[in-house]
Amino acid sequence: MSDPIEFYYDLSSPYGYIGAHLIEDVAARHEREVLWKPFMLGAVFKEEGTQPLVFYPKKGAYARHDMARTARLHGLPLNFPEKFPQLTVNAARIILWAGHQDQAERKRLSLAFYHGIFGEGHDISDKAVIRNICETHGIDWAEAEAAMADPAIKDQLKEETQAALDRGVFGAPYFIVGDEPFWGVDHLPQLEKWLESGGW
Amino acid sequence: MSDPIEFYYDLSSPYGYIGAHLIEDVAARHEREVLWKPFMLGAVFKEEGTQPLVFYPKKGAYARHDMARTARLHGLPLNFPEKFPQLTVNAARIILWAGHQDQAERKRLSLAFYHGIFGEGHDISDKAVIRNICETHGIDWAEAEAAMADPAIKDQLKEETQAALDRGVFGAPYFIVGDEPFWGVDHLPQLEKWLESGGW
């Protein structure tokens, strides 16, 4: 099988939510595996000297408008959460723990968390919200809560974030095929053209 | 005729160069006029608290790679100028002066300057380079030089930049149809879908 599609995302990103729904279709059309790689976007912003889109006055207003427009275009519900951006570190730890070596499980839980945040507008930094999503998806809450506090899982998320930085990731969603990087939902058509043609 | 496509650009932007070549085709397919609106991106960055893409460490490296890849995809030459970003204020003044109420002339000169900067890698802040492009394109140099120094033209560029800010423009290329904004070359497919469908 050819190179997989590395998909770098943070649960706090609305474009990540949209990208998570689109990337599997792109991958399926070209028989590629998707590697689901949650990381901490905040740490990357800090290193790059940037900040969340919505913090910029004009770019932020545009981004909110465009996120809603782009979600509608793809038939995805978008209920922008009142609290934004959200602290997603605990949810990311659960994804890494439950989907340790299981991409399908990472995908399943990521879409469940994304749906909670952007489909339903919940606050994923609230443990009661995480618990509800876990229990709805057959994840044992006592085990999940232990995993969130597990130093090994915490370290793993830090390492994954550092690995993303080392790969040049500066935003999300971010896709890499082989050594070819594609940033943003808007770049998925170019990524797909790349898969079709082998590059240009 | 339906709403025109307002095209906001700065000659210093490589994505603006690519967008300038693509927007007329989009407009022609949908029988829309393009309004060529040069402005000073630097002033907008200052107000927004951002900076040129290439100044960010990782995003800058990605942008250079993506600009070249996107230019190749569209069959456009891209010889990245050694000096970047460049001061484009004088060239923008000439566009406003020579193309005062003439969109075809604005387009013709903008593509000529863009070709000089990104097709051939010249430094457009150098008056000898501007002169050469003007003379190649039948613009009287004595008149152009006087226009560059004309307070009325200087004011006009400031006013155009303020008008862009007032319209919400925070980057370039930036397109507006009616009240619907589209930022970036990557968003042209969505703009085109908007023209086709009347919105969603």
Side-chain angles (χ1 to χ4, degrees), chain B residues 1 3-5 7 18-34 36 74 107 175 177 182 184-196:
Chain B
M1 201 172 183
D3 288 326
I5 301 169
F7 170 38
I18 298 171
H21 278 88
L22 300 181
I23 191 58
E24 286 283 347
D25 288 343
V26 173
R29 283 194 286 273
H30 300 279
E31 298 182 4
R32 303 289 179 119
E33 188 189 9
V34 176
W36 290 69
H74 296 293
K107 174 188 169 183
F175 309 92
V177 180
F182 299 89
V185 167
D186 274 355
H187 241 40
L188 284 177
Q190 203 172 105
L191 185 159
E192 187 150 16
K193 221 166 274 199
W194 195 268
L195 296 178
E196 275 161 20

Side-chain angles (χ1 to χ4, degrees), chain A residues 15 44 47-51 53 56-60 62-63 65-66 68-70 72-74 164-166 168-170 174 179-184 186-187 189-190 193-194 200, chain B residues 15 44 47-51 53 56-60 62-63 65-66 68-70 72-74 164-166 168-170 174 179-184 186-187 189-190 193-194 200:
Chain A
Y15 287 123
V44 172
E47 180 139 336
E48 187 75 353
T50 47
Q51 45 181 342
L53 269 175
Y56 296 100
K58 289 178 196 300
K59 192 190 270 190
Y62 172 86
H65 178 79
D66 183 58
R69 179 176 62 189
T70 302
R72 284 200 310 278
L73 176 63
H74 296 293
L165 277 166
D166 293 344
V169 174
F170 57 85
Y174 199 96
D179 284 325
E180 201 65 24
F182 300 88
W183 173 44
D186 274 355
H187 241 41
Q190 202 172 105
K193 221 167 272 198
W194 195 269
W200 57 84
Chain B
Y15 287 124
V44 173
E47 180 139 336
E48 187 74 354
T50 48
Q51 45 181 341
L53 269 175
Y56 295 100
K58 289 178 196 299
K59 191 189 270 191
Y62 172 85
H65 178 77
D66 183 58
R69 179 176 62 188
T70 302
R72 284 200 310 278
L73 177 62
H74 296 293
L165 277 166
D166 293 345
V169 174
F170 58 84
Y174 199 96
D179 283 325
E180 201 64 25
F182 299 89
W183 172 45
D186 274 355
H187 241 40
Q190 203 172 105
K193 221 166 274 199
W194 195 268
W200 58 84

Side-chain angles (χ1 to χ4, degrees), chain A residues 157-176:
Chain A
L157 184 54
K158 283 182 200 154
E159 285 156 19
E160 298 274 345
T161 300
Q162 186 58 50
L165 277 166
D166 293 344
R167 288 286 267 157
V169 174
F170 57 85
Y174 199 96
F175 310 92
I176 303 179

Side-chain angles (χ1 to χ4, degrees), chain B residues 83 87 123-131:
Chain B
K83 189 173 168 188
L87 203 65
D123 176 9
I124 202 77
S125 70
D126 179 349
K127 281 197 185 174
V129 169
I130 300 182
R131 177 177 188 160

Side-chain angles (χ1 to χ4, degrees), chain B residues 37-103:
Chain B
K37 294 178 166 288
F39 73 102
M40 288 294 97
L41 189 53
V44 173
F45 282 158
K46 202 173 165 187
E47 180 139 336
E48 187 74 354
T50 48
Q51 45 181 341
L53 269 175
V54 297
F55 286 9
Y56 295 100
K58 289 178 196 299
K59 191 189 270 191
Y62 172 85
R64 281 178 183 266
H65 178 77
D66 183 58
M67 288 160 182
R69 179 176 62 188
T70 302
R72 284 200 310 278
L73 177 62
H74 296 293
L76 290 170
L78 182 63
N79 289 302
F80 215 87
E82 210 173 306
K83 189 173 168 188
F84 184 84
Q86 298 181 1
L87 203 65
T88 57
V89 63
N90 278 321
R93 286 176 188 150
I94 291 176
I95 292 169
L96 288 181
W97 158 72
H100 176 47
Q101 288 189 321
D102 182 347
Q103 292 298 326

Side-chain angles (χ1 to χ4, degrees), chain B residues 8-13 16-17 38-42 86 88 114 172:
Chain B
Y8 294 87
Y9 60 103
D10 185 310
L11 292 170
S12 72
S13 159
Y17 161 68
F39 73 102
M40 288 294 97
L41 189 53
Q86 298 181 1
T88 57
Y114 266 139

